[in-house]
Amino acid sequence: MDLATPEDTFKNITFQGAGFGELAEHLSALPDDESHLSLFLGLYQPDKKRALEELGRAAGKSVETVDFEELVSRSESETYEALDRIFEQHRNTGALLYFRNGDQLCGVYTGYTHSKVKYASPQERYFLQKAKEHKGPVVVDISEFSAADKTIRRAAGSIVRFTLPDSPVKRFLWHLRNYTLHGFELRSKRPDAYADTAENY
């Protein structure tokens, strides 16, 4: 499965579902010279951490963490240079590259103020090309479901959803910690960032 001709097998799975185990098996058999782009969509970081560890073990890869907040610049050329450095640094390692804060990369709103359509930016398209050339898995962590525009969803070989836990206690503790660290201002206001609708997938 490559980025040019992605299959739909893993396009709508959850961390707790059977599909995630099948994804791990798929990555364990991924040839060393092939790429695989996976999107982690959702807010619940504890499960994302566990999922990343499981995929790394299954693929037999070391996990290298990169933060888009440190890569994405208002200058396209600076962003391209930063992405070049990261992928060149790991060109022959076969590492699983984990990109945090994917919301910083994904798409821009165009047209009318209330438009709900996001289009891929040049930086995003450049990143997807570099991910396609990387020999190994690439995971992009996106906190808001709506931040993943159609371009990156089409390019992804897998899309894994992470929802908040059913346990009221765990949900309360997560919200408490999230507000303590980030304040009461949640990021996206347009469109509803947490709508769990079919159009998001």
Side-chain angles (χ1 to χ4, degrees), residues 113-174:
T113 302
H114 298 292
S115 170
K116 292 187 177 182
V117 178
K118 295 185 77 175
Y119 296 91
S121 65
Q123 293 96 323
E124 180 183 339
R125 293 183 182 277
Y126 191 80
F127 166 79
L128 292 177
Q129 182 58 42
K130 301 300 290 186
K132 178 180 177 180
E133 296 169 356
H134 179 67
K135 297 178 180 179
V138 175
V139 175
V140 178
D141 186 338
I142 302 173
S143 64
E144 298 178 359
F145 293 116
S146 62
D149 57 76
K150 290 183 178 180
T151 299
I152 198 169
R153 289 176 191 236
R154 284 197 300 266
S158 58
I159 299 176
V160 186
R161 297 171 55 197
F162 295 83
T163 57
L164 295 181
D166 293 332
S167 165
V169 174
K170 287 184 178 180
R171 290 174 71 96
F172 171 77
L173 291 175
W174 180 87

Side-chain angles (χ1 to χ4, degrees), residues 1 4 10-11 35 43 48 51 111 122 131 140 158 164 171-172 199:
M1 182 189 303
F10 306 117
K11 286 286 191 166
S35 60
L43 290 164
K48 285 184 175 181
V140 178
S158 58
L164 295 181
R171 290 174 71 96
F172 171 77
E199 68 179 8

Side-chain angles (χ1 to χ4, degrees), residues 51-126:
L52 187 65
E53 292 171 350
E54 288 186 26
L55 292 187
R57 283 195 301 270
K61 307 287 187 182
S62 62
V63 177
E64 299 293 335
T65 300
V66 185
D67 196 332
F68 272 127
E69 288 190 344
E70 299 174 0
L71 296 180
V72 177
S73 166
R74 294 192 179 207
S75 166
E76 290 182 12
S77 61
E78 289 181 3
T79 302
Y80 298 157
E81 290 173 3
L83 289 171
D84 285 343
R85 285 196 300 272
I86 291 297
F87 281 100
E88 179 60 27
Q89 179 181 349
H90 299 288
R91 183 164 60 93
N92 296 315
T93 65
L96 187 160
L97 298 183
Y98 172 60
F99 287 85
R100 299 177 60 244
N101 293 308
D103 311 60
Q104 298 291 321
L105 177 79
C106 292
V108 292
Y109 291 111
T110 61
Y112 298 106
T113 302
H114 298 292
S115 170
K116 292 187 177 182
V117 178
K118 295 185 77 175
Y119 296 91
S121 65
Q123 293 96 323
E124 180 183 339
R125 293 183 182 277
Y126 191 80

